Amino acid sequence: MKTQQVILANRPVGIPGPDHFDISETHLGAPKPGQMLIKVTHWSIDPAMRGWANDVPNYSPPVALGDPMRSFGVGEVLASNHPNYSAGDLVHGMFGWQTAVLSDGSEIDRKIPETDLPRSYALGVLGLNGCTAYLGLTKICEAKTGDTVVVSTAAGAVGSAVGQIAKILGCRTVGIAGGPEKTALCREAFGYDAAIDYKSENISDALAQHCPEGVDCYFDNTCGPISDAVMAHLALGARITVCGTSAETVWDPIPTGPRVHRQLLVARARMQGFLIFDHKEDMAAARAALAGYLRDGRLQVREHILKGPEAAMSAIGMLYEGRNTGKLIVDVSDA
């Protein structure tokens, strides 16, 4: 069986694009004892991939030049000589940008039991995005009924789930997104009580209007000027989850900006970084809760699906430019 791979050919500085990738093709043999052949059907596109491609200090080592780009994927086991997997099993794991893999199971995170739901959900709302939203909001922000929750990148894969989960918990929700299309999506599809367009509105003035008692929980997916504005509106005892820094396009040297220490002190606020990989023991419970919300219609999903391996080469840039309208996924099932 042939596999197509999108490999990292050149080291980017910043956001990787088509010039940094090449497509190669190779043949895979039959699975040996302890192996299985997996047809990978969907690749996930995530903000963390910028860090994985760059040679800068990060929580994961950079992808080696010549290797397939690191990414999560969903696939179906076609043939198996592995005792724990059978043909027909749907699996989620770190398969990289490859259309088929021979695996000993070490790349696999889990079998996908939610076969009544689209398999692509395992990369988004039932994957790292949804679990990040659920645990970052409930475990780190400790959101509770009556809280005012502000979310940046509120129409994105994580942010849209955060807003909806907060509403389920009985919170007031205010989303920050870019452009009228995305702010409308926040209000109409994801149920935000208010949405702020950072491209056309004064964020601080809008926060004062929509959060008159201050911000109890801030789910920060951006850092940068948006977060600077939120810090001036913290309620007493506010909790802040730092989940992403997409507004910072250069990491070396680390950018400097307004000092938030005084605002945190006065509000007696807590600000904590959050990586889902530190909370693996809680992910099964998070997925179970999210699947329940999906099945009873309380959680809406938007996916932005690109077709074919070639589309992946510009997908990370598309994500950082905000041109996606939902969880960004590359469908390679026909490759």
Side-chain angles (χ1 to χ4, degrees):
M1 182 176 184
K2 291 181 180 179
T3 180
Q4 286 186 295
Q5 301 173 326
V6 179
I7 62 171
L8 185 65
N10 300 288
R11 184 72 64 192
V13 177
I15 299 170
D19 292 344
H20 301 108
F21 299 106
D22 282 330
I23 294 181
S24 66
E25 188 173 274
T26 187
H27 286 269
L28 298 177
K32 298 176 182 178
Q35 287 186 324
M36 73 198 89
L37 176 64
I38 300 170
K39 166 63 177 172
V40 184
T41 59
H42 297 81
W43 299 341
S44 180
I45 308 298
D46 297 294
M49 297 173 77
R50 179 182 71 172
W52 295 343
N54 280 258
D55 190 9
V56 295
N58 202 352
Y59 57 85
S60 296
V63 176
L65 294 180
D67 281 358
M69 181 59 200
R70 182 184 301 145
S71 80
F72 288 97
V74 167
E76 180 177 349
V77 177
L78 298 184
S80 178
N81 288 321
H82 193 292
N84 298 330
Y85 299 92
S86 301
D89 285 346
L90 296 181
V91 290
H92 172 277
M94 189 70 83
F95 302 129
W97 283 356
Q98 305 182 85
T99 59
V101 295
L102 283 173
S103 172
D104 63 3
S106 59
E107 306 97 334
I108 296 175
D109 294 325
R110 68 181 185 113
K111 293 181 186 179
I112 299 171
E114 304 91 4
T115 54
D116 58 317
L117 299 169
R119 69 172 66 178
S120 57
Y121 282 11
L123 296 175
V125 68
L126 293 178
L128 295 187
N129 299 129
C131 290
T132 292
Y134 185 89
L135 295 172
L137 181 66
T138 60
K139 192 173 180 180
I140 308 301
C141 267
E142 298 179 348
K144 60 185 184 299
T145 300
D147 280 344
T148 294
V149 176
V150 173
V151 185
S152 59
T153 318
V158 173
S160 61
V162 173
Q164 293 180 83
I165 297 165
K167 289 298 293 182
I168 291 170
L169 297 176
C171 302
R172 172 175 171 74
T173 56
V174 178
I176 304 174
E181 180 184 4
K182 290 192 175 182
T183 51
L185 196 62
C186 286
R187 292 187 298 267
E188 296 165 10
F190 305 135
Y192 279 92
D193 294 293
I196 300 169
D197 183 354
Y198 71 81
K199 293 183 177 180
S200 64
E201 296 184 68
N202 181 293
I203 300 172
S204 187
D205 290 347
L207 286 168
Q209 174 188 348
H210 297 303
C211 311
E213 303 300 320
V215 177
D216 298 297
C217 299
Y218 175 44
F219 201 104
D220 182 6
N221 287 308
T222 57
C223 207
I226 291 174
S227 298
D228 295 341
V230 176
M231 295 300 169
H233 296 272
L234 298 179
L236 192 66
R239 290 86 66 199
I240 302 157
T241 297
V242 180
C243 180
T245 59
S246 61
E248 297 180 354
T249 57
V250 177
W251 295 342
D252 189 13
I254 293 175
T256 57
R259 307 297 185 189
V260 301
H261 302 72
R262 185 70 186 172
Q263 292 157 326
L264 295 175
L265 172 65
V266 170
R268 278 80 98 198
R270 186 184 73 229
M271 186 174 183
Q272 183 173 337
F274 177 82
L275 286 176
I276 189 62
F277 304 114
D278 298 330
H279 302 271
K280 291 182 178 179
E281 71 280 2
D282 298 314
M283 290 178 67
R287 279 193 296 267
L290 293 163
Y293 298 156
L294 288 165
R295 292 181 179 117
D296 64 20
R298 288 190 288 171
L299 187 58
Q300 302 301 311
V301 178
R302 292 292 187 278
E303 295 181 316
H304 191 136
I305 297 181
L306 308 175
K307 291 284 189 177
E310 295 83 0
M313 299 167 75
S314 57
I316 301 172
M318 182 179 178
L319 188 70
Y320 274 92
E321 292 162 11
R323 291 187 284 118
N324 58 302
T325 53
K327 167 62 185 175
L328 193 55
I329 293 170
V330 180
D331 182 342
V332 294
S333 57
D334 292 334

